[in-house]
Amino acid sequence: MKFQRYGAVAGVAVAASLALSACGSNNNAPTGPTSSASGTSAASSCPSGTLSLAGSTAQANAISQWKKDYQTKCTGVTVNYNANGSGAGVTSFIQKQADFAGSDYSLSTTQAAQVTSAGRCGSGSAVNIPLVPGAIAVVFNVPNVTTLNLSATTLAGIFNGTISNWDAAAIKAENPSANLPNLAIQPFYRSDTSGTSYNFSNYLHALGGFAAANKQWPGKAGQGAKGSSLVASKVKSTAGAIGYAEYSYATEDSLSYAAVSNASGAYVPLTQTNAANFIAKAKVTQSGSDTKLAFDYTYAAADAYPATLVTYEIVCGTGNDSGQLPLIKGFLTYMDSSAAQTELTSEGYVPLPSAIQADNATAIASLQ
């Protein structure tokens, strides 16, 4: 069965984000696998063994916290995560080096064909399970400047090299009260195959006239750095720098980040609530156990931050190794649980709308 819904989850993610805004930090006592959105047990019994995962750096901070919590509850389980980027993670999955992979874009037609030709899932195919929504922060390091408005058009110019100085007319026009220095702009981008690059370039393409979305950064200016963590680190250490990274890296490194323009040209500040508002308007498409989200960049509410992403877990729908299947289903079920999703806010992400949690729970239970 295949169906689509448009904006069906609107408001749910907003309420979840607001309700969770007072959640504690990593120092809170870990909450073990409890209940998911569907009301089923997240881990009625704990499996034993080692789970090997790879992929998205955007979700790395969430996975780091979740595996601590899950391993505390299920002491016989070891979860290893190689944050090698979305593209490399999917390759690791196809080559059977990972039990499932995190990717900030759904499995492409080419990748799906590789899964089939490699027999990765036996005679079956892989499915996409969206589990970690978040925002992409435009991080910058401009001396004596902590707040900026940057339109998609201006950002496209910066990352293409046509706007190369912080006191350029385009930036001044968007920030008339800012004390912008005569300082060269140093753009940093992801050098690896990256879902963050895909989603950010998709936003710039839709609203700023940038090159078509690509997992390999399509900009014409700047320096590459592997992984969101290194992009954030480079921006922090370089005067005049600008880059893009998942929001948790901006907060982790205490970086300044810009408000960006929406389809109406209004500047929307990055908050988790604003990101949740935009994600809630995504088009959700399902086919069996496979779920995909498509963001609507024409949505122009003043409280909806449009530079967002969602990390999918790429896993075999059927054909999983029988010995690993309890581990795969156990950890995925925990990731989808209310306990785990609640922690996303304190980690700098956005919890899933409950309707998608329920869809995920059904998909995870069906894995074979």
Side-chain angles (χ1 to χ4, degrees):
M1 178 180 68
K2 186 170 185 176
F3 68 87
Q4 297 179 342
R5 59 179 182 268
Y6 297 79
V9 296
V12 180
V14 180
S17 182
L18 289 171
L20 296 171
S21 61
C23 286
S25 67
N26 294 353
N27 295 324
N28 288 350
T31 328
T34 54
S35 61
S36 70
S38 65
T40 58
S41 170
S44 56
S45 61
C46 286
S48 296
T50 300
L51 193 61
S52 296
L53 313 176
S56 166
T57 65
Q59 72 167 1
N61 289 332
I63 295 291
S64 178
Q65 183 60 43
W66 284 347
K67 74 176 187 176
K68 290 176 188 175
D69 296 343
Y70 190 68
Q71 289 171 163
T72 298
K73 176 67 176 179
C74 296
T75 56
V77 176
T78 299
V79 179
N80 295 320
Y81 187 65
N82 179 13
N84 56 351
S86 295
V90 172
T91 298
S92 297
F93 168 72
I94 293 170
Q95 295 176 348
K96 297 187 177 183
Q97 296 169 355
D99 294 302
F100 64 84
S103 174
D104 306 325
Y105 46 86
S106 58
L107 205 64
S108 69
T109 301
T110 298
Q111 290 170 327
Q114 291 171 342
V115 169
T116 301
S117 63
R120 173 61 180 89
C121 301
S123 59
S125 58
V127 296
N128 302 278
I129 302 176
L131 275 166
V132 187
I136 302 170
V138 177
V139 292
F140 62 88
N141 180 353
V142 182
N144 302 313
V145 177
T146 57
T147 60
L148 281 176
N149 292 326
L150 293 172
S151 68
T153 302
T154 294
L155 286 167
I158 288 172
F159 283 102
N160 273 333
T162 58
I163 299 174
S164 57
N165 201 288
W166 281 109
D167 66 353
I171 303 177
K172 282 184 173 181
E174 295 175 353
N175 301 275
S177 63
N179 184 22
L180 294 164
N182 179 10
L183 178 67
I185 299 174
Q186 305 287 340
F188 286 93
Y189 59 87
R190 289 283 296 276
S191 61
D192 50 329
T193 304
S194 160
T196 308
S197 288
Y198 176 85
N199 284 278
F200 188 54
S201 60
N202 202 22
Y203 159 71
L204 294 182
H205 175 69
L207 299 182
F210 198 57
N214 203 305
K215 304 159 198 172
Q216 292 290 342
W217 182 244
K220 300 176 181 178
Q223 305 172 55
K226 186 175 181 180
S228 292
S229 179
L230 190 54
V231 168
S233 177
K234 290 288 189 182
V235 171
K236 187 171 185 176
S237 63
T238 307
I242 189 171
Y244 57 92
E246 197 279 326
Y247 176 58
S248 68
Y249 291 94
T251 57
E252 185 179 73
D253 288 340
S254 300
L255 290 166
S256 297
Y257 45 90
V260 303
S261 66
N262 63 13
S264 71
Y267 299 103
V268 184
L270 196 176
T271 68
Q272 287 163 292
T273 299
N274 287 351
N277 290 341
F278 187 79
I279 292 168
K281 288 295 184 179
K283 179 180 72 175
V284 181
T285 303
Q286 280 191 295
S287 178
S289 298
D290 186 71
T291 302
K292 297 177 184 178
L293 278 66
F295 297 126
D296 180 10
Y297 293 108
T298 66
Y299 182 59
D303 61 353
Y305 182 83
T308 57
L309 58 77
V310 62
T311 302
Y312 298 87
E313 310 312 322
I314 310 297
V315 62
C316 290
T318 61
N320 288 287
D321 180 90
S322 59
Q324 292 300 98
L325 186 58
L327 290 159
I328 293 168
K329 294 176 78 170
F331 192 50
L332 283 173
T333 300
Y334 175 68
M335 292 168 70
D336 187 53
S337 71
S338 296
Q341 289 295 314
T342 294
E343 283 200 301
L344 284 180
T345 300
S346 60
E347 293 298 316
Y349 300 86
V350 177
L352 282 168
S354 59
I356 296 179
Q357 275 184 272
D359 292 339
N360 286 344
T362 300
I364 294 164
S366 74
L367 299 179
Q368 300 176 28

